[in-house]
Amino acid sequence: MTSSFPAKPSVLARLSVLLPAALLAGCVQMTPAGQQPAPVAPAPAPVVPPVATMPVPQSPQVVAPPAPALPTGPVDSRTGLHQAAVIAVTGDADSRFTVLFRPARTDAGKIEAAPVQLCRSAGRGLEDSRTNKPGAGSAMPGVQMMIVTCSAA
């Protein structure tokens, strides 16, 4: 039975074609028998310039800001708080008030006395008062809210 495909060339026939082509291309170097190829010297390491270091300047000493002085200036007649601290005073029929204020702009003694002062200015006595803690869920940082309930007349 005869095949219609051409016969595969032998491995030796392929090498005999590739070897001269590789020699011509310079890929293969032929050395005489018993002779060692010359060792290849390693490439010299590239010269890297030294890294310049910049002196790090000394940072100045950080000092905490001084405590703010006690506020001075005009005082709100209804609350007794410094006007610079009062943001808003709202109320309903002189019995319940809401005061928005900045505690950093007035002193603690005036904050404690504000509910009594507010009810007294409305001609009533103090029934209840509460103030939220600074930053307690506040949309206005640094602002506190005081709710004052005055007694009935």
Side-chain angles (χ1 to χ4, degrees), residues 46-149:
V47 177
V48 178
V51 177
T53 57
M54 300 295 291
V56 178
Q58 294 292 328
S59 56
Q61 185 71 2
V62 177
V63 179
L70 289 178
T72 57
V75 174
D76 180 65
S77 62
R78 295 170 295 171
T79 62
L81 299 172
H82 288 96
Q83 285 181 354
V86 177
I87 297 171
V89 179
T90 60
D92 59 339
D94 296 330
S95 63
R96 185 172 178 147
F97 296 94
T98 302
V99 181
L100 295 176
F101 66 99
R102 291 184 180 97
R105 295 192 181 176
T106 193
D107 54 7
K110 289 191 180 290
I111 295 172
E112 290 175 15
V116 173
Q117 174 78 22
L118 191 58
C119 288
R120 188 179 303 142
S121 68
R124 301 173 185 259
L126 176 65
E127 186 175 306
D128 185 37
S129 167
R130 63 181 185 269
T131 304
N132 71 336
K133 293 182 181 177
S138 175
M140 298 180 286
V143 175
Q144 283 186 274
M145 180 172 53
M146 177 187 301
I147 299 174
V148 179
T149 305

Side-chain angles (χ1 to χ4, degrees), residues 1-86:
M1 172 176 213
T2 318
S3 168
S4 64
F5 294 108
K8 288 186 178 180
S10 69
V11 174
L12 189 56
R14 277 195 242 161
L15 282 179
S16 65
V17 172
L18 291 176
L19 186 59
L23 285 173
L24 285 175
C27 294
V28 177
Q29 293 181 349
M30 296 296 288
T31 56
Q35 199 178 37
Q36 295 282 334
V40 178
V47 177
V48 178
V51 177
T53 57
M54 300 295 291
V56 178
Q58 294 292 328
S59 56
Q61 185 71 2
V62 177
V63 179
L70 289 178
T72 57
V75 174
D76 180 65
S77 62
R78 295 170 295 171
T79 62
L81 299 172
H82 288 96
Q83 285 181 354
V86 177

